[in-house]
Amino acid sequence: MIGFADEALIEVRSGNGGNGCVAFRREKYIPHGGPNGGDGGKGGDVIFTVKRNLRTLANIRHKHCFKARNGGDGQGWNRYGADGEDCVIPVPPGTTIRDAETEEIIYDFSTAKGDESFTFLKGGNGGWGNVHFKSSTNQAPKQANPGQKGETRFLKLELSIMADAGLVGFPNAGKSSLLTFFTNARPKIAPYPFTTIIPNLGVLRVDDESDIIIADIPGIIEGASEGLGLGDTFLKHITRTACLIFMIDCSDENYLTAYDTLCNELRNYSDNLMEKPRIVLCNKIDVEGAFERAVEVQEKIKASEPDTVVIPVSVHTGRGMKDAQHQIMELVSKQEKRDSSAGGAANTVETSESQNQFGSAFMKDRAYIDDDDDNVQYPGSEQ
């Protein structure tokens, strides 16, 4: 969709480590200066970080490859190569990182509470210079190690907008009008289907310290879960919401079956959607005969779902809207208390391995280990 990017396929590459150097001290009056080849620098990491000012993946959708810098090669006089610059990829809150081939979830930023970062690929370690290979039996080593290669991965990024409540309904049910009535959002409103073609967010102000974010997605039609219309494309944007607001157009001839049809589409898309708490707003009761229809819908839903709140409203005249606003705020508040009492779910990342452990002291962090294992050849690999 033009102006809204919620998916991106990208290639990411961490940097290669720099090569170690073979060099010897050559100085006047010092005929046997010994080896002084420095180590190669570490390759740059690939890091994802949340930026609160981003709302879509448009900033990375058209850039297919993200590469960190390679580490510099070591030089004589024990000079280390420069570490490669990290590749930092900013993403909006609600982004999920998946493997492009297996669809496995690698990391989920849905619970990010700040400018959270995730180091995905580590750069290759730099190779040791020949100063590490000197010994009593090999005082002039001509051996150095190449830098380790970086990694390459193909990823799929998916964005699910973060909202407290999601609006669900058929085209022209009045979802965008409701969003305009309650919030500061100004979505396009017109008397024809699919006026909304991208998700819209609005903020419902509760008090000076709290507010509720409401998401309006394009109208759902029968068969949306199978790809018909626009609903299948954007249904994922209400999977992260705390609760759902169903909008029923009581001026439409299918008013009595609308709720069941919407529930079936959500259930076919994901069983988790139907587990969310919900309220039902029977809209357009200002139209002749619509209020009586709203009462029919109310009685039908109450018979099968006695705990579901059903409110007849008219967004156009404002009738019933204060009650609807109160019920929405109460529903979101209850869900937040329930989540907080359950402890919530938070991503745990082992950062000890993902942090750069290399210090500046040469003999402390890059010291040679007298070991028969040939794999122990890179700065930091002994840690």
Side-chain angles (χ1 to χ4, degrees):
M1 285 297 169
I2 298 175
F4 190 84
D6 60 353
E7 290 186 357
L9 292 173
I10 62 173
E11 176 186 356
V12 293
R13 301 178 187 173
S14 58
N16 299 329
N19 299 318
C21 175
V22 175
F24 296 92
R25 185 180 178 188
R26 294 291 183 263
E27 197 170 348
K28 193 175 183 179
Y29 306 122
I30 304 179
H32 303 290
N36 68 352
D39 300 340
K42 175 184 173 297
D45 301 335
V46 175
I47 303 173
F48 290 91
T49 183
V50 167
K51 292 299 180 184
R52 294 283 163 182
N53 60 328
L54 295 179
R55 292 293 178 266
T56 72
L57 297 173
N59 60 312
I60 61 176
R61 188 177 195 178
H62 301 294
K63 184 179 179 181
H64 302 294
C65 186
F66 293 82
K67 297 185 291 185
R69 298 286 184 128
N70 296 332
D73 294 337
Q75 301 179 38
W77 294 96
N78 290 332
R79 289 177 291 183
Y80 309 146
D83 288 344
E85 183 179 352
D86 295 334
C87 176
V88 180
I89 306 174
V91 296
T95 300
T96 302
I97 304 174
R98 296 178 179 269
D99 184 276
E101 297 179 357
T102 65
E103 294 288 330
E104 175 189 1
I105 295 179
I106 297 172
Y107 199 82
D108 191 346
F109 283 107
S110 62
T111 58
K113 297 181 179 178
D115 290 342
E116 182 179 333
S117 296
F118 165 56
T119 301
F120 174 53
L121 294 182
K122 296 287 292 182
N125 286 326
W128 278 355
N130 67 334
V131 69
H132 289 284
F133 298 95
K134 65 182 179 180
S135 66
S136 59
T137 58
N138 186 13
Q139 298 183 7
K142 297 182 180 180
Q143 176 186 359
N145 293 118
Q148 288 181 327
K149 297 294 184 181
E151 299 180 71
T152 300
R153 293 284 295 276
F154 292 89
L155 302 176
K156 180 180 181 181
L157 305 187
E158 294 181 344
L159 171 64
S160 294
I161 57 179
M162 307 301 292
D164 298 304
L167 288 172
V168 180
F170 288 115
N172 263 30
K175 302 187 303 300
S176 297
S177 299
L178 180 78
L179 195 69
T180 301
F181 187 94
F182 278 155
T183 74
N184 56 351
R186 293 296 177 265
K188 182 179 180 181
I189 299 174
Y192 53 82
F194 295 113
T195 308
T196 301
I197 58 174
I198 63 173
N200 292 303
L201 289 179
V203 179
L204 171 59
R205 199 69 177 169
V206 178
D207 51 44
D208 293 336
E209 297 182 355
S210 60
D211 48 38
I212 294 174
I213 301 177
I214 301 177
D216 171 27
I217 67 169
I220 298 173
I221 64 173
E222 188 171 2
S225 59
E226 300 174 359
L228 296 181
L230 298 174
D232 178 65
T233 306
F234 296 111
L235 274 173
K236 62 175 174 284
H237 292 295
I238 57 174
T239 58
R240 302 278 180 87
T241 58
C243 59
L244 300 177
I245 304 171
F246 283 77
M247 292 287 292
I248 305 298
D249 181 2
C250 288
S251 67
D252 186 80
E253 58 182 9
N254 297 321
Y255 70 97
L256 208 53
T257 60
Y259 179 71
D260 292 336
T261 303
L262 290 172
C263 289
N264 288 335
E265 293 304 324
L266 297 188
R267 190 179 295 107
N268 291 337
Y269 182 79
S270 173
D271 290 334
N272 294 332
L273 284 176
M274 291 310 299
E275 296 176 1
K276 295 181 180 293
R278 68 188 79 103
I279 66 172
V280 181
L281 302 182
C282 298
N283 191 24
K284 302 186 181 181
I285 59 173
D286 55 291
V287 178
E288 184 178 356
F291 180 78
E292 290 74 15
R293 292 180 172 185
V295 173
E296 288 185 58
V297 175
Q298 189 176 38
E299 293 175 351
K300 179 182 177 182
I301 296 176
K302 283 293 183 180
S304 57
E305 301 177 14
D307 295 332
T308 300
V309 177
V310 183
I311 307 173
V313 299
S314 171
V315 179
H316 180 66
T317 63
R319 184 179 175 184
M321 295 301 286
K322 285 187 178 181
D323 187 23
Q325 179 176 338
H326 173 74
Q327 292 293 339
I328 292 171
M329 292 189 298
E330 186 175 343
L331 190 65
V332 173
S333 178
K334 286 182 179 179
Q335 188 63 21
E336 288 178 349
K337 290 179 181 178
R338 188 179 296 112
D339 292 341
S340 61
S341 63
N347 289 318
T348 302
V349 182
E350 295 295 336
T351 57
S352 59
E353 296 182 359
S354 64
Q355 299 296 324
N356 187 348
Q357 299 293 331
F358 306 133
S360 58
F362 175 77
M363 295 307 295
K364 177 181 178 181
D365 292 342
R366 305 194 182 207
Y368 171 70
I369 296 179
D370 189 8
D371 198 327
D372 293 335
D373 188 357
D374 293 336
N375 293 326
V376 184
Q377 297 175 346
Y378 299 94
S381 60
E382 68 275 13
Q383 299 182 12

